Amino acid sequence: MSDPLIVIPARMAAVRLPGKPMADIGGQPMIVQVWNRAVESGIGPVIVATDAPEIAEAVLRAGGQAVMTRTDHPSGSDRIHEAVENYDPDGRHDVIVNVQGDLPTIDPRIIAASLLPLADPSVDIGTLAAVIRREEEKTASHVVKAVGSPLNPGRMRALYFTRATAPFGEGDLFHHIGLYAYRRNALRRFVSLPPSPLEMREKLEQLRALEAGMRIDITVVETVPLGVDTPEDLERARALIAGR
C-alpha cells in the first residue's frame, strides 16, 4: 500500500434527490463536503470522477481535482476505473479507495480504516461494516447486511452480502458500508467481469467480486455514515455539518 488514491464518483442523475451533489450543505455543495472529508482522512490525493461539468467546476473552485468521465457508465466502479486510468496511466497509485459522493458527514477516520485489510496480501478489497443497533434495520431490505467470518476483533472475511436478514440465529448483524479500498489490479479485474447471477438477484455489485473468487475483508467500525438520498437526509446532513 505505497500510494493510495481516493476517488469520489459523482453524477447529477438521482431519482429521489435530483442534482444532489450540488445541494448546499454549510455553504458548500455536497460534493465539496465529501471531498473535504476525504482530504481530512490524510491517506492520499483525492479526485472526483464525474460526467457533469458543474460538479467538476465546484470541485475546482474549492481547490480540488476533478476528472471528466463518460456519461454511459453502468456503475460507480466503472466510472472510478476510467478516472483512475486517465489520471494515473503509469500506475503509481496501487490502491484505489472509493468514497461515495453522498456521504458529506463521513468520519475521515473510517475512510482510512478501509485500508487496514489490505495489509494482508491475500486480500483484494477492503470494506467496512458496523453492528446494527436499531431493530427495524435488521429486517429492512435497504440496509445491506455483511455476513462474515471473524478473523480477529474488528475484522471479518466477507462471505456474503444480502438485503435479507442474515445470518440466522443469535448474535450481531452487520450493516455494510459501501466504501471500498481496491488493489489497483483488483479494480481492473472487477470492472472487466460481467454482472454475476447473485449480483443481479440482490442488486449488490460487490457480490460480483465474491462470485469471481475475489477476497473481501471487512473492518468493523462504530457507526454508519449518513447517506443523503432524500430531502430529509439532506436536512439531517445540514444540521450535522452546522454542529461540527
Side-chain angles (χ1 to χ4, degrees), residues 76-174:
S77 300
D78 295 283
R79 189 177 309 284
I80 284 170
H81 181 254
E82 183 196 353
V84 169
E85 294 302 311
N86 289 340
Y87 177 79
D88 180 34
D90 297 328
R92 183 169 63 89
H93 297 286
D94 56 357
V95 171
I96 309 303
V97 181
N98 172 359
V99 177
Q100 297 301 317
D102 59 0
L103 303 175
T105 65
I106 189 170
D107 184 340
R109 292 172 294 182
I110 76 168
I111 298 175
S114 69
L115 294 173
L116 297 177
L118 299 186
D120 182 339
S122 65
V123 176
D124 298 297
I125 303 168
T127 190
L128 305 171
V131 174
I132 296 177
R133 307 292 183 189
R134 297 166 68 177
E135 200 64 31
E136 65 271 21
E137 291 188 352
K138 295 180 179 178
T139 55
S141 62
H142 68 274
V143 175
V144 178
K145 290 79 176 178
V147 180
S149 180
L151 298 173
N152 55 51
R155 172 90 171 272
M156 300 188 294
R157 178 171 181 172
L159 302 177
Y160 195 60
F161 298 91
T162 181
R163 298 182 183 279
T165 302
F168 180 78
E170 294 297 319
D172 290 330
L173 299 181
F174 291 89

Side-chain angles (χ1 to χ4, degrees), residues 2-3 42 45-46 66-67 78 82 90 124 132 167 173 180 186 188 207 209 227:
S2 60
D3 201 347
V46 182
V67 176
D78 295 283
E82 183 196 353
D90 297 328
D124 298 297
I132 296 177
L173 299 181
Y180 301 94
R188 186 177 294 118
L207 291 176

